[in-house]
Amino acid sequence: MRAARIPSPIVGAMANWQASRIKDPVVRLRFLRRTVGDRRVWDPRTETGRVWLRKRGVSLAVAFAALVLVPAGTVKSAGRLWWRGPILSAQASMQRPDTFPQVWQVDQQGEYETYSNGLRIERKYEVSNEPRQFAAYRRSAEEPTAKEDRTAPVGIVFHTTESAQTDFTEGETRRIRMIGAALLDFIQKERAYHYVVDRFGRVWRVVKESDAANHAGYSIWADDTWTYVNLNRSFVGVSVETMTQPGSSRAEATPAQIHALRVLTEMLRSKYRILSTNCVTHAQVSVNPSNMQAGYHYDWAANFPYPQVGLPDNYALATPSLWLFGFTYDPSLVNVTGEPFWKGLVLGAEQLRQNATAHGMDVSAYRRILESRYRQILSTLKSKTELSKEKQG
Ligand SMILES: [Zn+2]
């Protein structure tokens, strides 16, 4: 559900970094490579690297950007077509062929299903909604609204329920169960998510996989081939019963929830051949068309346990809304969300800049073209579940 809106905060050190350092990361990258020769020396993931960077006044963000740029070798701009440019980190990860888990259904009783990887799905709250029909937009097309109609989900959006919490102790079991049941009633009524993982790690199917759920509102994601706009129909909404801590982007999942997320993700990826890079958090996909800013909702802007869930660190992917459709972001978001989310935003902004250069345009003119293409696509999405219901987070 919706995390509280960001208070209008002071732009801090990280945003200052953005202004002062990212102006030309390619130049900075060249400097780093020339100076060091071996990127391991400045690898921001190591303590040695961080010390090295700090001494030279190089921000961690630039180092992270460089880190994903180097192996991908994508510094040179390509992009014959307007939205076909290099995908920085995404390209690096997509060069490895994705592997899909092998999971199958073992049993189905009245109110639950079991699967070969230990997943058990509770069906007590299962309901129907509008059928899952949507358009995938071809990224290689000259015509931005060229599309293919689909009915099978292509990704997963992870949410937090942002619901009331009580201490996770044995003595509170009854209350935890009561709160959880009330939450499921509400989510069922709203057709808010396909799946809810409760605090004990139980997996509840609410909206059927064959149908749309009102989980993502205005949202954008893309893989190597396709762009998806408004993900209620194209992505499966999986929500974790937890709450983002006020004033930060931190939510926690219990060990049981992390396990449940892993086996549920495996089952869905196996069943629908969902790319691992299409399993992302609401913060990464959420946009606000009225001010053209990304990150309207920011559940799981940080701290989503990607590795434990068996996924790559998808926080390192360049945010598609920025470079495909010219969205910007509120620098204050950086203060609230911390590093994982802004890494994607920074890379998205850099990708936009590179693509503009490749087209011989300045960024603002290029952005206007992208925005008008987004508006064109948006105007073709008329149905209720394709358009936004912003009360969910
Ligand atoms: Zn959400």
Side-chain angles (χ1 to χ4, degrees):
M1 299 193 182
R2 179 173 5 195
R5 293 297 297 143
I6 310 156
S8 185
I10 310 101
V11 178
M14 285 176 185
N16 289 340
W17 149 81
Q18 194 206 5
S20 62
R21 310 270 189 202
I22 198 69
K23 276 176 193 151
D24 199 337
V26 176
V27 171
R28 189 159 294 275
L29 171 63
R30 287 199 192 110
F31 158 76
L32 286 167
R33 296 181 82 176
R34 194 175 59 238
T35 321
V36 200
D38 180 350
R39 72 187 178 90
R40 280 172 299 178
V41 176
W42 54 269
D43 189 334
R45 295 169 300 186
T46 66
E47 183 53 33
T48 324
R50 286 192 288 274
V51 170
W52 190 94
L53 292 161
R54 209 175 302 130
K55 273 188 191 159
R56 286 156 183 82
V58 179
S59 86
L60 286 182
V62 170
F64 270 115
L67 196 63
V68 294
L69 276 164
V70 173
T74 53
V75 178
K76 62 177 183 300
S77 295
R80 179 167 50 89
L81 303 168
W82 70 274
W83 54 9
R84 195 58 201 171
I87 319 181
L88 299 180
S89 55
Q91 194 174 63
S93 62
M94 293 302 288
Q95 282 169 348
R96 292 191 304 274
D98 216 342
T99 54
F100 298 93
Q102 297 288 316
V103 179
W104 61 94
Q105 191 172 331
V106 173
D107 197 9
Q108 179 174 342
Q109 301 292 335
E111 286 200 338
Y112 66 90
E113 291 168 7
T114 55
Y115 289 82
S116 61
N117 64 347
L119 170 66
R120 175 180 157 125
I121 294 176
E122 307 294 338
R123 303 184 61 197
K124 186 179 166 190
Y125 291 86
E126 187 175 306
V127 285
S128 301
N129 199 19
E130 289 178 33
R132 179 192 284 287
Q133 278 177 328
F134 63 96
Y137 296 91
R138 210 180 281 282
R139 278 195 36 216
S140 58
E142 294 283 0
E143 172 54 52
T145 51
K147 59 180 185 163
E148 187 175 287
D149 292 325
R150 306 273 193 92
T151 53
V154 295
I156 301 173
V157 175
F158 297 105
H159 302 261
T160 56
T161 57
E162 296 304 317
S163 49
Q165 306 268 282
T166 183
D167 288 348
F168 195 65
T169 57
E170 188 177 352
E172 288 293 295
T173 301
R174 211 170 135 263
R175 256 169 71 77
I176 296 171
R177 289 177 61 135
M178 275 171 52
I179 292 170
L183 175 70
L184 281 160
D185 274 333
F186 176 77
I187 287 168
Q188 182 192 53
K189 193 164 120 282
E190 296 290 322
R191 309 290 197 265
Y193 306 109
H194 296 92
Y195 285 101
V196 175
V197 177
D198 77 13
R199 296 187 76 197
F200 302 114
R202 292 178 297 180
V203 177
W204 300 87
R205 183 184 290 134
V206 181
V207 177
K208 287 180 177 170
E209 287 166 21
S210 58
D211 298 348
N214 304 314
H215 66 101
Y218 288 110
S219 44
I220 293 166
W221 195 249
D223 53 42
D224 267 2
T225 321
W226 302 98
T227 299
Y228 310 99
V229 177
N230 293 358
L231 311 180
N232 284 348
R233 291 167 163 247
S234 44
F235 281 53
V236 177
V238 173
S239 198
V240 181
E241 187 183 359
T242 185
M243 194 177 210
T244 304
Q245 294 310 300
S248 87
S249 60
R250 311 292 287 184
E252 299 283 345
T254 65
Q257 286 175 324
I258 292 171
H259 173 77
L261 286 168
R262 185 183 184 103
V263 289
L264 176 61
T265 300
E266 282 174 359
M267 185 279 282
L268 292 169
R269 292 196 59 227
S270 169
K271 190 169 176 182
Y272 300 108
R273 310 231 3 124
I274 292 172
L275 295 172
S276 58
T277 47
N278 279 353
C279 302
V280 288
T281 71
H282 197 187
Q284 293 173 277
V285 304
S286 172
V287 295
N288 181 358
S290 63
N291 62 7
M292 286 299 285
Q293 286 191 343
Y296 182 73
H297 293 279
Y298 55 96
D299 37 334
W300 291 126
N303 220 31
F304 184 78
Y306 276 118
Q308 294 100 303
V309 174
L311 292 166
D313 174 17
N314 286 340
Y315 283 128
L317 298 173
T319 309
S321 58
L322 269 69
W323 63 273
L324 280 172
F325 294 121
F327 279 78
T328 59
Y329 61 94
D330 184 340
S332 61
L333 206 57
V334 164
N335 295 352
V336 180
T337 62
E339 182 188 302
F341 183 44
W342 61 251
K343 201 160 57 178
L345 294 171
V346 164
L347 288 166
E350 171 53 19
Q351 179 71 70
L352 176 82
R353 198 189 64 76
Q354 284 188 28
N355 290 2
T357 307
H359 287 79
M361 300 175 78
D362 69 55
V363 169
S364 55
Y366 184 61
R367 182 175 274 138
R368 279 196 294 278
I369 293 175
L370 300 186
E371 179 177 348
S372 82
R373 298 193 195 253
Y374 172 67
R375 301 273 174 213
Q376 247 182 296
I377 289 177
L378 211 55
S379 69
T380 66
L381 303 175
K382 295 289 182 209
S383 89
K384 192 179 97 201
T385 43
E386 278 179 304
L387 289 172
S388 179
K389 276 184 79 180
E390 285 298 351
K391 61 179 166 248
Q392 278 83 39

